[in-house]
Amino acid sequence: MKYQKAKGLILKTFSGRSPQAALKERNRPALVQLVGTVLVLLSILVLTSPSPAKNRNLVSGSFSECEASIGVPAGFHEVESNAARGRRVILSWSAVPGAIGYRVYRSLANAEHYRLAGGISSETMSEFPFFVDEDIRPGKSYRYRVCALDSSWNKGNWSAPLDVSVPPGMKISQVEKQLICSLEDQRLYCFENGSIVNNLRCSTGVGGTPTGNFRIYSHRRYVYGATYVCEYWMDWKPNYGIHSWPRYRDGYRDYEESLGVRPRSHGCIRLHPLEAYWPYNWAPNGTPLLVTYASLGKATICGTSASSGTPAPAKKWYFAEGYTGTGFQEYLLFLNPGESEALARTTYFPENQPPLTEVYFLKPQSRTTIKVNDVVNLPAPSHAIMIESGVGIVVQQAMYFEYAGRRGGHVTNGISSPTKSRHFAEGYTGPGFDTYLLIFNPNRAPAEVRIKLHTEGGIFPQSIYTFPPLSRGTILVNALEGATGHSLGIEVKSSGPVVAQRSTYFTMSANPNGLNGGHSSSGVAKPSKNFYLAEGCTAGLFDEYILLVNPNPIPAFVSITFCPPTGPFEHRFSISPFSRYTLAVDSISELANTETPSIIESDRPIVVERAMYYSLDSKRDGHSSEATEKLSRSWYFAEGYTGGTFDEYLLLFNPNKTECHLRVSFYGENGETLDFAASIPPMMRLTLHVDEIPSFGWRATSCRIESDLEIAAEQAHYFTMSRR
């Protein structure tokens, strides 16, 4: 994946005296003023003189030898972002146990002398795992290193060097910056054009901090009190500033205990000593500041999502999943690929509540985004959805969440027609995993639903539920009799056509990076002997699993042909009757560290899904997708986003013996379009990083893929977003 500065030293005492007292002080005789100035200068010498390691200016100086035995940050890498290209460098790495913070050093490429680029605290890194370097020039190349700081602010060994080439800057008509300080969260959020670029812990006034809309009107590198100094001061109201934690003669006091947790200042907005430089350099005079009691959710949401495409538009779409409760953001993404306007009659079916209908206008050849959380009068957070249109459209659902300590997102295809059966190959009820089955009965008659679980050891007794007409229900699979602690597939059989989705939320506590998140799937209507997976990767910090269920009373013999860049590789195995099988693709030595699109063939009808887990700190999460049963010459995706730190990929797999030629048409929210043409060699995959398409810019889009041969297509996103 992927100023305004003080020109000189400004001397000013700041001891909480009233403006009237300060005015009297300015009217003293000149001799008294001179004596006072001398005393202030002596105070400056004391405050800025060398001090023990823990009291140093934490964002100045150059790199020196290791001072502590703390570990070295692993996985040091550049985070590629369309919004940052040519304007800033974003870096990330895995957490070091016991580190209180980190320092990042920068030099010009191939230069030996490193200068301090900045720092970040461990607590901030755990919530917003990015170091953002604004002090770069487009077209230049740099070399970075990072080191951890122990509890006494001693530096550990630095990482291996990371070379970064900054491309020419993108042409952006206007960058609108905004600071938001949430008194509830004790956080300072930094936004550009509505996308978060930094998220810093702060501490506000014990007796209150003025709320409302303000603007930064001056920058002062130092502000001095009688016994302390505040650095990186930005004035936003007379006698109020945003600044670093006060530094006294004996160092910084109780900042780690207070930042992000409790008010501690006299009314100002205090920041971490490692981090205060960043907004000081980023926010020029005139930058809007909103101080509010409202919460923005503290933590940003980092994660991944993936979905298979839809081969054709449809006039009806259904979703069994839907939730707008605390910590969840739900979106419906509509693509109208036609040349005429369309209306989407969207009916929400809350659990145990009457339905609610809204009608959305869809522009021709455009994408439309509806945030379901903003739907007025939706009586309950849990709901199913039915969408009807007079013309063919495409609809997907995206959900972003912070739930039970898990942060992530998932994107799911709608189901164009309810069915009497639905099959899911993925499901896990072991420690740290919660698997839910969502059932929607869109009929005007009750539906009897039978749920059968296929574990790796065989089949479980089925559970039977009755769903009233026009109702949605939630089943926690973990709670089904005997289901706890199993890898399993799920088979849904109903007396009438229903809609089913599976959602899984997880915490992998054994993972050194604290992997957590969630994924969702619409499953398949019936087992098949042939499937295709366009996505698949074992490189870096990816873990890939292919999940297969044999619902038959006899063994199924399976052959998977993987198509990495080095050429096809075949893997064969069998699946026991009524059982689920888990293939850890990373465990196959011939497929280590590579792309792994695949063709699955079985002598018996089976069910296939793929799950991937990504354990890098900046995008920790997992995603899953049902395998594609049939290839197609056309594929549609209603979701797509390249703004902020979103990275969008299209995975286009050509399983044919000859080269294919295709065109990708992107549709924006205001009718703008962009076409991209490509060719894919036989038995190969094209990984299209949409953010890197020239002139694409920051945008929300849908897309249509047209090929001269039948192919498989998937879409993946890797993201960090605010809970705004």
Side-chain angles (χ1 to χ4, degrees):
M1 228 91 45
K2 291 153 201 127
Y3 306 123
Q4 195 81 351
K5 291 186 177 179
K7 294 183 178 179
L9 189 64
I10 299 176
L11 307 180
K12 179 179 178 180
T13 58
F14 186 86
S15 57
R17 289 186 290 273
S18 66
Q20 292 79 5
L23 181 62
K24 291 179 181 178
E25 199 169 77
R26 285 199 298 271
N27 292 330
R28 290 176 181 174
L31 180 60
V32 176
Q33 290 275 11
L34 178 61
V35 171
T37 301
V38 171
L39 291 175
V40 170
L41 288 171
L42 290 173
S43 175
I44 293 169
L45 290 174
V46 172
L47 285 169
T48 59
S49 62
S51 55
K54 65 179 180 179
N55 297 333
R56 293 178 188 152
N57 182 345
L58 302 179
V59 289
S60 64
S62 59
F63 192 86
S64 59
E65 295 300 320
C66 172
E67 302 167 337
S69 59
I70 197 166
V72 178
F76 188 37
H77 71 287
E78 180 188 9
V79 178
E80 296 182 1
S81 166
N82 192 53
R85 185 171 294 113
R87 303 179 58 242
R88 58 176 62 95
V89 170
I90 304 176
L91 306 174
S92 190
W93 54 87
S94 296
V96 174
I100 198 169
Y102 305 89
R103 283 176 174 166
V104 177
Y105 296 82
R106 178 189 62 237
S107 74
L108 292 174
N110 301 318
E112 295 183 359
H113 183 70
Y114 287 83
R115 297 183 64 84
L116 186 62
I120 186 171
S121 69
S122 292
E123 286 295 323
T124 296
M125 193 75 182
S126 68
E127 291 187 357
F128 191 77
F130 304 102
F131 173 83
V132 182
D133 187 8
E134 296 266 325
D135 192 18
I136 53 95
R137 292 186 179 182
K140 293 288 186 180
S141 295
Y142 298 93
R143 177 166 289 178
Y144 289 88
R145 286 186 167 182
V146 60
C147 69
L149 303 175
D150 68 11
S151 59
S152 297
W153 296 103
N154 296 313
K155 299 187 293 287
N157 284 313
W158 56 5
S159 67
L162 173 67
D163 292 325
V164 174
S165 295
V166 181
M170 292 179 59
K171 292 183 179 180
I172 301 173
S173 58
Q174 185 177 6
V175 176
E176 296 183 358
K177 297 183 177 182
Q178 183 187 22
L179 292 163
I180 299 180
C181 177
S182 168
L183 303 182
E184 171 67 23
D185 298 345
Q186 292 292 287
R187 296 293 190 279
L188 180 68
Y189 301 94
C190 307
F191 287 90
E192 283 186 4
N193 295 339
S195 294
I196 192 166
V197 294
N198 219 334
N199 174 5
L200 305 171
R201 293 180 296 151
C202 69
S203 185
T204 56
V206 174
T209 294
T211 58
N213 290 289
F214 307 92
R215 289 186 181 272
I216 304 299
Y217 65 83
S218 72
H219 287 61
R220 292 183 281 170
R221 181 62 177 82
Y222 300 95
V223 169
Y224 293 91
T227 58
Y228 58 85
V229 58
C230 297
E231 300 181 69
Y232 302 105
W233 183 292
M234 294 188 292
D235 289 288
W236 51 274
K237 182 180 173 66
N239 296 323
Y240 293 92
I242 300 173
H243 58 80
S244 71
W245 200 269
R247 180 160 57 94
Y248 296 85
R249 291 182 176 88
D250 59 349
Y252 301 96
R253 301 173 182 171
D254 71 356
Y255 60 98
E256 282 293 353
E257 297 90 334
S258 302
L259 281 166
V261 178
R262 58 175 178 166
R264 189 68 176 83
S265 76
H266 299 101
C268 290
I269 301 170
R270 295 182 179 182
L271 300 174
H272 196 285
L274 274 172
E275 300 164 355
Y277 77 96
W278 197 92
Y280 181 90
N281 291 336
W282 173 79
N285 286 346
T287 299
L289 166 67
L290 170 64
V291 182
T292 176
Y293 285 104
S295 171
L296 274 71
K298 292 187 180 179
T300 52
I301 299 174
C302 308
T304 68
S305 65
S307 66
S308 55
T310 297
K315 294 183 179 181
K316 282 190 176 183
W317 293 99
Y318 300 84
F319 296 91
E321 171 66 300
Y323 191 74
T324 57
T326 302
F328 280 74
Q329 299 179 38
E330 179 186 352
Y331 297 85
L332 289 177
L333 303 318
F334 295 83
L335 166 60
N336 175 14
E339 296 182 355
S340 59
E341 300 168 345
L343 296 177
R345 179 182 173 87
T346 304
T347 303
Y348 300 91
F349 294 86
E351 286 192 5
N352 305 314
Q353 297 288 339
L356 172 71
T357 299
E358 293 200 344
V359 178
Y360 304 126
F361 173 78
L362 310 181
K363 298 177 183 177
Q365 296 188 330
S366 296
R367 132 100 176 236
T368 301
T369 303
I370 299 297
K371 187 174 183 181
V372 181
N373 299 62
D374 294 338
V375 173
V376 179
N377 298 324
L378 191 59
S382 301
H383 55 268
I385 305 170
M386 180 175 67
I387 299 162
E388 302 168 287
S389 177
V391 300
I393 61 174
V394 179
V395 189
Q396 288 183 283
Q397 178 191 65
M399 296 182 67
Y400 303 95
F401 57 84
E402 183 177 10
Y403 158 71
R406 299 137 171 174
R407 293 183 285 166
H410 48 72
V411 175
T412 312
N413 289 331
I415 296 172
S416 59
S417 178
T419 56
K420 290 186 176 182
S421 66
R422 209 76 195 169
H423 301 261
F424 304 88
E426 171 63 310
Y428 186 64
T429 56
F433 278 69
D434 296 325
T435 297
Y436 293 90
L437 187 62
L438 302 314
I439 305 292
F440 172 40
N441 176 16
N443 307 292
R444 297 194 176 277
E448 182 182 85
V449 175
R450 297 171 180 265
I451 299 171
K452 190 183 296 183
L453 304 181
H454 299 273
T455 72
E456 293 182 339
I459 195 170
F460 272 26
Q462 62 184 357
S463 301
I464 302 175
Y465 295 85
T466 299
F467 287 84
L470 303 175
S471 70
R472 123 93 189 239
T474 303
I475 298 170
L476 176 61
V477 178
N478 302 54
L480 297 181
E481 183 179 356
T484 302
H486 290 280
S487 299
L488 47 83
I490 305 171
E491 179 181 332
V492 178
K493 297 281 188 178
S494 174
S495 60
V498 297
V499 181
Q501 283 180 240
R502 176 207 37 85
S503 293
T504 299
Y505 301 94
F506 60 87
T507 300
M508 294 184 178
S509 56
N511 188 285
N513 291 326
L515 185 63
N516 64 79
H519 46 68
S520 185
S521 172
S522 298
V524 295
K526 62 180 181 179
S528 175
K529 293 182 178 181
N530 298 281
F531 285 100
Y532 302 87
L533 289 168
E535 170 66 302
C537 185
T538 60
L541 296 172
F542 283 96
D543 293 307
E544 180 188 354
Y545 300 89
I546 296 179
L547 305 318
L548 309 97
V549 171
N550 175 18
N552 304 289
I554 58 176
F557 294 91
V558 179
S559 170
I560 301 183
T561 302
F562 294 95
C563 297
T566 54
F569 172 80
E570 188 177 18
H571 183 73
R572 294 176 178 269
F573 54 93
S574 64
I575 309 175
S576 301
F578 300 122
S579 295
R580 138 83 181 254
Y581 183 89
T582 302
L583 176 63
V585 181
D586 300 66
S587 67
I588 302 173
S589 59
E590 293 86 352
L591 298 175
N593 199 37
T594 189
E595 297 177 348
T596 56
S598 57
I599 304 168
I600 299 105
E601 299 172 289
S602 173
D603 67 337
R604 303 288 174 187
I606 60 173
V607 183
V608 182
E609 287 189 60
R610 182 209 59 257
M612 292 174 61
Y613 299 92
Y614 189 50
S615 57
L616 198 64
D617 271 11
S618 58
K619 301 288 191 302
R620 292 170 293 186
D621 195 2
H623 56 63
S624 69
S625 184
E626 59 275 7
T628 298
E629 180 184 354
K630 293 182 180 180
L631 300 175
S632 177
R633 293 189 179 187
S634 63
W635 291 101
Y636 296 81
F637 294 91
E639 172 63 307
Y641 191 66
T642 57
T645 54
F646 273 70
D647 283 287
E648 178 186 349
Y649 294 87
L650 289 175
L651 301 313
L652 309 175
F653 176 37
N654 175 17
N656 302 287
K657 303 297 183 182
T658 58
E659 183 177 70
C660 76
H661 305 274
L662 57 85
R663 181 180 67 181
V664 183
S665 299
F666 294 94
Y667 303 94
E669 293 186 314
N670 295 311
E672 68 273 24
T673 61
L674 176 69
D675 287 347
F676 180 86
S679 299
I680 311 176
M683 303 292 284
M684 295 286 286
R685 181 180 89 187
L686 170 65
T687 302
L688 178 59
H689 189 188
V690 179
D691 301 60
E692 295 182 351
I693 295 176
S695 304
F696 199 79
W698 304 357
R699 61 183 69 190
T701 61
S702 300
C703 73
R704 176 175 63 185
I705 301 156
E706 297 173 298
S707 172
D708 61 348
L709 297 177
E710 293 184 334
I711 63 172
E714 293 188 55
Q715 180 192 64
H717 285 92
Y718 298 84
F719 60 87
T720 296
M721 59 178 285
S722 67
R723 291 186 54 200
R724 194 179 185 186

